[in-house]
Amino acid sequence: MKNDSLNWYVVAILYESVHEGEPKNVDEDYDTTTNVYEERHILVKATSTEEAELLGEKIGKEYEDPYENQYGEKVIWKLVKILQSFELLDEQLNTGTEVYSRYILTEKELSTQDVLKRYFNE
């Protein structure tokens, strides 16, 4: 049976920063050695996970507006993939409402410092 009531969903979206053009006025902060990805989590109201993902993709495409960075390059945050979506179980959004969590499975010998370095090195 289909649930026709609107519920809150979190949609996780992965973007890649794509640069076009030749850089100008390059300084010591200009980096050609890394690629940049963004994992965004947005809230949508939908009747199902499928609808939430469709809304997430639509909103995600709207985020792809190009702009010029300080080096004169055209930058576009390209939507790579809808990573996941899930319904929020809380009836109301309040301070402290959980909107995202994940489990990280690692080898037993990996220390907490290693986990921080591998997954949260920002």
Side-chain angles (χ1 to χ4, degrees):
M1 177 163 79
K2 185 175 179 196
N3 177 3
D4 287 334
S5 65
L6 290 174
N7 298 306
W8 285 108
Y9 288 82
V10 175
V11 180
I13 306 171
L14 182 65
Y15 293 92
E16 177 184 12
S17 179
V18 177
H19 297 235
E20 298 174 356
E22 288 299 315
K24 301 171 188 78
N25 305 320
V26 174
D27 59 21
E28 67 275 355
D29 293 327
Y30 187 78
D31 182 6
T32 60
T33 63
T34 58
N35 292 321
V36 179
Y37 294 86
E38 178 184 3
E39 182 180 348
R40 280 181 92 208
H41 299 262
I42 63 170
L43 291 173
V44 298
K45 270 214 158 170
T47 59
S48 67
T49 301
E50 295 79 17
E51 182 183 7
E53 289 180 1
L54 288 172
L55 282 168
E57 186 169 1
K58 180 178 183 264
I59 293 166
K61 289 280 188 190
E62 292 170 1
Y63 188 66
E64 289 185 326
D65 281 341
Y67 64 92
E68 187 174 301
N69 69 9
Q70 69 267 30
Y71 304 112
E73 298 170 305
K74 179 179 166 184
V75 178
I76 302 172
W77 284 95
K78 296 291 275 182
L79 187 147
V80 174
K81 182 178 181 180
I82 301 297
L83 299 172
Q84 67 179 16
S85 65
F86 55 90
E87 183 179 351
L88 292 179
L89 300 178
D90 292 350
E91 304 247 340
Q92 292 185 338
L93 298 179
N94 297 306
T95 299
T97 298
E98 181 179 302
V99 295
Y100 176 74
S101 70
R102 70 175 171 164
Y103 293 101
I104 299 172
L105 303 175
T106 67
E107 304 85 21
K108 283 278 190 191
E109 57 275 354
L110 206 62
S111 72
T112 301
Q113 288 304 316
D114 292 332
V115 170
L116 287 170
K117 197 178 290 184
R118 182 181 292 178
Y119 297 100
F120 305 98
N121 190 16
E122 297 167 359

